[in-house]
Amino acid sequence: MDILEDILDTVDLNGTLYFRTDFSPPWSVEVPKHSQAARFHLVLQGRSYFYVAPHDIVELNAGDLILIPYGASHIIADSPQKSAPTLETVLNDADYNGEHTLVVGKQNNAASTQLMCGHFDFRKKSEHPFLKALPSYIVITSSIRAKNPLLDEIIRLITRQAFIESAGSNAAIKRLSEVIFIELLRLGIDQQSDIKPLFKALKDTKIAQALHIIHTNPTNPWTLDSLASEVAMSRSRFAERFKDLVGISPMLYLSEWRLQKALALIGDTKQPIQQVATATGYKSPSSFTRAFQDKFGMAPKEYRESIL
């Protein structure tokens, strides 16, 4: 099993392209917060500046990409600044109807800044240590792309599709953007200290084996002793190593993962709650309901009703 694939399938990663821009200076826009999502902007042409509070302003040039994992509010502009009109204001002023390219200012194909903007949605209330460890933003520059040919080729494909604007190009961009997100996770973004240990976990023979065991058979009545035995480690050493790399204890990871699988079953199937409880390793529907409510603040039935 590919653990990252299992994680992203369970949290229901779904790419959405919301517009391509053609901005002629002066221009700026404040993009509002979008919970349970990660936003991305790919600079197709020109230069732009991004401000994600409370960090410094980041300059991006053609071919650069920024990923904002938590959907935080941020400012995009043609010059360094920390205030801008809201996206809603910009859309209204441009009389944008949600189709084709968002044009701001007098269109100048040679001098305008063109961006491809989209986001990745995740299942309501879904989370995972790999996602929580992501920094407030990640910038993919030409130098990073040069070191990662697959990522570079995917971004090139998206850029080509953006300029084609033919039937099916938006769908292709959505799928390709999802691959970019996956590749960013696979790379671990070496310069990000918070996420590096998690990717060491996937490369650590013993801890990767434990993660594989949990993901392939989460319903088994695992204990700390039995998991440690499976990977041929002492109980204390296994618990210490797992927490150092993953950030939480093995048993908490197992418990959290079972609940994430439960979210997926409740959201994607019509299985009765009792069956969901059994399918995610709980001995009784009542113990499952208590655990679910403690974690998510609502009963399983309430959650199902909230996403209908």
Side-chain angles (χ1 to χ4, degrees):
M1 173 183 289
D2 186 314
I3 294 170
L4 277 180
E5 182 179 348
D6 192 28
I7 292 167
L8 295 175
D9 282 346
T10 301
V11 301
D12 196 21
L13 174 71
N14 182 38
T16 301
L17 174 68
Y18 53 88
F19 50 65
R20 175 184 160 189
T21 74
D22 192 333
F23 290 162
S24 295
W27 62 268
S28 61
V29 57
E30 180 181 0
V31 183
K33 181 178 180 180
H34 189 305
S35 61
Q36 211 66 23
R39 280 201 169 95
F40 73 90
H41 303 281
L42 171 61
V43 183
L44 302 173
Q45 174 181 296
R47 174 185 302 167
S48 58
Y49 295 84
F50 290 79
Y51 174 63
V52 184
H55 299 277
D56 295 334
I57 293 172
V58 179
E59 177 184 339
L60 268 68
N61 296 291
D64 294 342
L65 179 146
I66 187 168
L67 173 70
I68 302 171
Y70 308 113
S73 174
H74 53 282
I75 289 169
I76 316 172
D78 65 332
S79 61
Q81 55 191 281
K82 296 184 178 181
S83 64
T86 65
L87 176 60
E88 183 179 5
T89 298
V90 172
L91 295 177
N92 288 337
D93 290 348
D95 197 24
Y96 184 64
N97 63 4
E99 298 180 1
H100 308 297
T101 301
L102 169 61
V103 177
V104 174
K106 294 183 179 180
Q107 197 166 10
N108 183 342
N109 291 333
S112 64
T113 296
Q114 298 185 21
L115 305 170
M116 178 67 67
C117 305
H119 65 245
F120 307 102
D121 286 318
F122 302 101
R123 191 184 310 281
K124 181 180 178 182
K125 292 189 177 293
S126 64
E127 61 179 40
H128 190 274
F130 281 87
L131 300 179
K132 291 169 72 174
L134 289 170
S136 56
Y137 68 90
I138 297 170
V139 173
I140 303 301
T141 61
S142 56
S143 61
I144 294 175
R145 289 175 57 175
K147 296 175 184 176
N148 300 279
L150 177 57
L151 182 62
D152 181 59
E153 183 56 31
I154 296 167
I155 293 175
R156 289 178 187 274
L157 286 171
I158 286 182
T159 303
R160 292 190 200 111
Q161 290 291 333
F163 286 106
I164 291 173
E165 291 192 343
S166 62
S169 61
N170 281 2
I173 289 169
K174 291 177 186 179
R175 299 288 81 82
L176 288 168
S177 68
E178 292 171 8
V179 176
I180 285 180
F181 189 88
I182 293 168
E183 286 306 308
L184 290 178
L185 287 182
R186 289 191 192 283
L187 291 172
I189 312 303
D190 290 339
Q191 69 267 37
Q192 306 295 342
S193 60
D194 289 341
I195 199 171
K196 283 172 68 175
L198 286 162
F199 285 87
K200 287 183 180 178
L202 294 180
K203 297 176 182 179
D204 183 287
T205 304
K206 302 294 188 180
I207 303 307
Q209 184 183 354
L211 288 169
H212 185 269
I213 289 168
I214 290 171
H215 279 254
T216 53
N217 194 5
T219 61
N220 193 73
W222 298 111
T223 64
L224 182 58
D225 285 332
S226 63
L227 281 171
S229 177
E230 286 287 330
V231 299
M233 292 182 74
S234 71
R235 183 179 188 273
S236 59
R237 179 58 182 148
F238 169 64
E240 180 184 8
R241 182 67 174 164
F242 192 101
K243 188 170 184 178
D244 283 347
L245 294 180
V246 181
I248 57 177
S249 69
M251 300 313 294
L252 180 56
Y253 185 93
L254 173 62
S255 175
E256 297 272 294
W257 184 243
R258 284 172 172 168
L259 289 171
Q260 292 301 318
K261 297 300 285 187
L263 277 182
L265 288 173
I266 292 171
D268 296 343
T269 75
K270 295 182 179 180
Q271 287 186 28
I273 300 304
Q274 183 173 355
Q275 289 184 17
V276 173
T278 301
T280 51
Y282 286 85
K283 293 180 180 179
S284 69
S286 59
S287 63
F288 167 63
T289 298
R290 284 195 301 272
F292 192 97
Q293 189 148 8
D294 287 345
K295 173 66 178 177
F296 302 117
M298 60 176 68
K301 288 183 179 180
E302 290 179 273
Y303 177 78
R304 178 168 275 165
E305 290 169 358
S306 74
I307 59 176
L308 293 178

